[in-house]
Amino acid sequence: MLILAFETSAKAASAALLEDGKLLGESYQNTGLTHSQTLMVMAENLLHQCGKTVNDVNAVAVAAGPGSFTGIRIGVSTAKGLAWGAQKPAIGVSTLEAMAYHGLAAGEGALVCAAMDARRSQIYNALFEIRGGKPVRLCEDRAISLAELGEELGKMQKSAFLVGDGAQLCYNTCLDMGIPAVLAPGNLVSQSAWGVAMAAFGQTPAPAEELLPVYLRLSQAERERQA
């Protein structure tokens, strides 16, 4: 199965090609350009360099959320439009679950804390444990304060491996609270399309029209309108 995956949940964007669980290639860009400028260019170049075409792709995968409202919308709409136009199915995966695959580097049994900066003194978070060579959920995706997460990690009696663009915030909190934690190295800390492809691998694709973004809370504009 050949999966074309997109990751646009934060400032960086990436695209990856995974064939039967094997990474064929990945393109990553964090230049300040909008994802709408970079994503399709990366995908086109990646397919070309790997000797593949859109017709060879079996499914299009994307990080469907949580994350930046604009980033998620761009990623989901790009994946949906590409899949729809090419008559391919799509797979939306949790951004946090995709990030947790970087925790494989921590080894079997490791506690992985996936975190994204959600602003307003919160992070988007989920906890996982590496079992059988893949991350297994310990809780659902959520928006939680750093203090609450710190208290929870303090009860785990295990050092947490921190991944995601909110990992540094979590590390600082753990340091202040005397909680053991390990910050993922630079090449693993950020979200990646490889993680998206791994999270999608083995899932049953669905029609492109069923692909929807997943937000854990209202956007700033919606909050201000309600206020």
Side-chain angles (χ1 to χ4, degrees):
M1 183 176 187
L2 184 66
I3 298 173
L4 173 62
F6 296 123
E7 218 299 332
T8 60
S9 65
K11 292 182 179 179
S14 57
L17 270 179
L18 192 80
E19 187 169 42
D20 296 330
K22 175 185 176 182
L23 180 66
L24 297 185
E26 183 175 22
S27 180
Y28 174 94
Q29 196 162 331
N30 189 12
T31 59
L33 295 174
T34 66
H35 300 333
S36 59
Q37 292 176 286
T38 61
L39 195 59
M40 283 305 298
V41 175
M42 286 193 292
E44 290 170 1
N45 291 339
L46 182 62
L47 286 167
H48 177 72
Q49 292 296 325
C50 293
K52 304 290 185 180
T53 69
V54 173
N55 290 332
D56 297 319
V57 173
N58 298 114
V60 181
V62 66
S68 156
F69 284 87
T70 300
I72 292 298
R73 281 195 294 267
I74 291 174
V76 169
S77 61
T78 299
K80 194 169 187 173
L82 180 61
W84 209 341
Q87 297 184 331
K88 304 290 183 178
I91 304 171
V93 305
S94 160
T95 306
L96 297 167
E97 182 179 351
M99 290 158 53
Y101 274 87
H102 289 194
L104 295 179
E108 187 72 11
L111 172 65
V112 181
C113 176
M116 296 187 68
D117 186 2
R119 310 295 181 183
R120 301 176 68 216
S121 301
Q122 288 187 323
I123 58 168
Y124 296 128
N125 166 259
L127 300 177
F128 302 82
E129 185 175 84
I130 303 302
R131 300 177 193 165
K134 66 178 183 180
V136 175
R137 274 190 180 276
L138 300 180
C139 68
E140 294 302 311
D141 293 354
R142 59 197 176 170
I144 187 174
S145 72
L146 287 164
E148 288 176 301
L149 178 61
E151 291 178 3
E152 188 172 337
L153 291 177
K155 299 174 183 177
M156 302 295 285
Q157 299 182 336
K158 184 185 292 188
S159 178
F161 187 77
L162 308 174
V163 296
D165 68 296
Q168 185 66 58
L169 293 172
C170 291
Y171 183 75
N172 294 342
T173 297
C174 289
L175 203 61
D176 291 342
M177 298 177 70
I179 299 167
V182 176
L183 188 64
N187 64 318
L188 295 177
V189 72
S190 297
Q191 294 89 299
S192 75
W194 169 78
V196 174
M198 289 296 291
F201 183 61
Q203 290 195 32
T204 302
E209 57 266 27
E210 295 181 13
L211 179 61
L212 296 171
V214 177
Y215 303 125
L216 293 183
R217 66 184 193 197
L218 297 175
S219 68
Q220 181 177 349
E222 290 172 311
R223 292 195 303 270
E224 291 177 351
R225 183 176 62 186
Q226 287 186 354

